[in-house]
Amino acid sequence: MRREFRFSAKVQVYPGPGGWRVVALPKLASVRIGARRGRRKKSWNFFNVSTTIGKTTWTSSLWPKQKEGVYLIVIKKPVLKKEGIMDGDKVSVTITY
């Protein structure tokens, strides 16, 4: 059974090379989703989800951020451009997994 989760988060610049833009899932949602991850886990504890911001939907992976106990979603450049998203903006996100 597929599940859907909606949340709002601030767009952050991921530290390190690449300058990726990410949003972090809330901690409670990360714990709940993490409990289900074994069924769809990829290498390095990543797993695929369908992500929607605004009118744009794409397939992405949840990246575990071990220290904080949350998952991150990378926002692709075309999505940033199409949706007019800037660093620090608060966005509404829907994931289906």
Side-chain angles (χ1 to χ4, degrees):
M1 181 169 109
R2 294 185 57 82
R3 295 185 184 214
E4 186 175 277
F5 180 73
R6 293 183 177 145
F7 65 99
S8 293
K10 185 176 168 183
V11 175
Q12 305 169 37
V13 178
Y14 188 80
W20 297 339
R21 290 350 186 232
V22 299
V23 290
L25 272 72
K27 185 144 186 156
L28 181 59
S30 293
V31 169
R32 288 182 179 164
I33 291 168
R36 292 179 42 96
R37 81 168 188 237
R39 293 183 219 159
R40 297 189 180 167
K41 189 165 80 171
K42 293 171 58 176
S43 61
W44 299 23
N45 291 326
F46 296 81
F47 70 102
N48 290 336
V49 295
S50 175
T51 303
T52 302
I53 296 177
K55 295 181 180 181
T56 307
T57 301
W58 73 100
T59 300
S60 54
S61 294
L62 295 182
W63 292 31
K65 191 167 185 188
Q66 304 283 342
K67 268 187 177 178
E68 289 81 3
V70 298
Y71 284 102
L72 302 177
I73 299 174
V74 174
I75 306 173
K76 298 178 178 184
K77 276 189 178 179
V79 176
L80 295 168
K81 186 174 182 178
K82 182 177 179 182
E83 297 295 334
I85 300 169
M86 305 294 288
D87 297 349
D89 284 354
K90 190 170 185 175
V91 294
S92 294
V93 182
T94 301
I95 61 168
T96 306
Y97 59 100

